[in-house]
C-alpha cells in the first residue's frame, strides 16, 4: 500500500546509571497508509481508528491522540501534527 505521510514523535526513556538518572529522548514515526496507521509497536487498520486529534502541551510539544477501538494512544510531537490529521481525515 501507498505511504501517504509520516509524523515524527518523541519517545522518552529514563535510565539510571552509576546512581545518576538520565533522560534519553529518541525520535520515532507514525506512518499513515491508505489502509492503516503504523506505530513502531502496533498497526491499526483505518476502520479501527475512530479519530486522530491533538492538544497543545506547551510552546514546544503537542499531544497527538489516536482514538482506536482498543483505546486512546498518546504520542508527544514537536512538529505540528495538522498535516497528518488532515491526511487521515481525507483517507477516512
Amino acid at each position: 500500500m501507498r505511504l501517504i505521510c509520516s509524523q515524527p514523535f518523541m519517545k522518552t526513556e529514563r535510565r539510571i546509571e552509576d546512581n545518576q538518572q538520565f533522560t534519553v529522548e529518541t525520535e520515532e514515526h507514525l506512518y499513515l497508509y491508505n489502509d492503516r496507521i503504523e506505530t513502531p509497536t502496533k498497526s491499526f487498520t483505518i476502520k479501527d481508528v475512530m479519530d486522530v486529534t491533538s492538544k497543545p502541551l506547551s510552546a514546544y510539544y503537542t499531544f497527538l491522540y489516536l482514538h482506536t477501538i482498543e483505546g486512546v494512544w498518546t504520542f508527544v510531537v514537536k512538529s505540528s501534527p495538522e498535516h497528518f490529521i488532515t491526511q487521515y481525515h481525507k483517507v477516512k
Side-chain angles (χ1 to χ4, degrees):
M1 286 291 158
R2 181 174 73 87
L3 176 65
I4 296 171
C5 67
S6 67
Q7 174 65 52
F9 70 93
M10 304 313 297
K11 179 180 175 186
T12 303
E13 179 183 345
R14 290 193 175 98
R15 293 189 205 159
I16 296 177
E17 295 176 12
D18 298 325
N19 288 330
Q20 291 185 331
Q21 180 173 301
F22 298 95
T23 302
V24 179
E25 195 175 80
T26 57
E27 183 178 279
E28 298 193 2
H29 287 81
L30 296 174
Y31 296 101
L32 174 64
Y33 296 89
N34 34 345
D35 66 335
R36 69 190 182 280
I37 295 178
E38 289 188 358
T39 75
T41 58
K42 184 106 174 122
S43 181
F44 297 98
T45 63
I46 288 297
K47 69 177 184 66
D48 290 343
V49 179
M50 276 78 79
D51 203 3
V52 178
T53 61
S54 66
K55 181 178 180 183
L57 175 62
S58 69
Y60 302 105
Y61 296 100
T62 300
F63 281 133
L64 175 69
Y65 301 105
L66 287 185
H67 303 266
T68 74
I69 63 169
E70 296 181 21
V72 178
W73 292 63
T74 306
F75 302 90
V76 177
V77 299
K78 283 186 176 178
S79 59
S80 172
E82 291 309 311
H83 179 70
F84 188 86
I85 292 170
T86 300
Q87 292 303 309
Y88 162 77
H89 286 291
K90 286 181 182 179
V91 170
K92 188 70 172 181

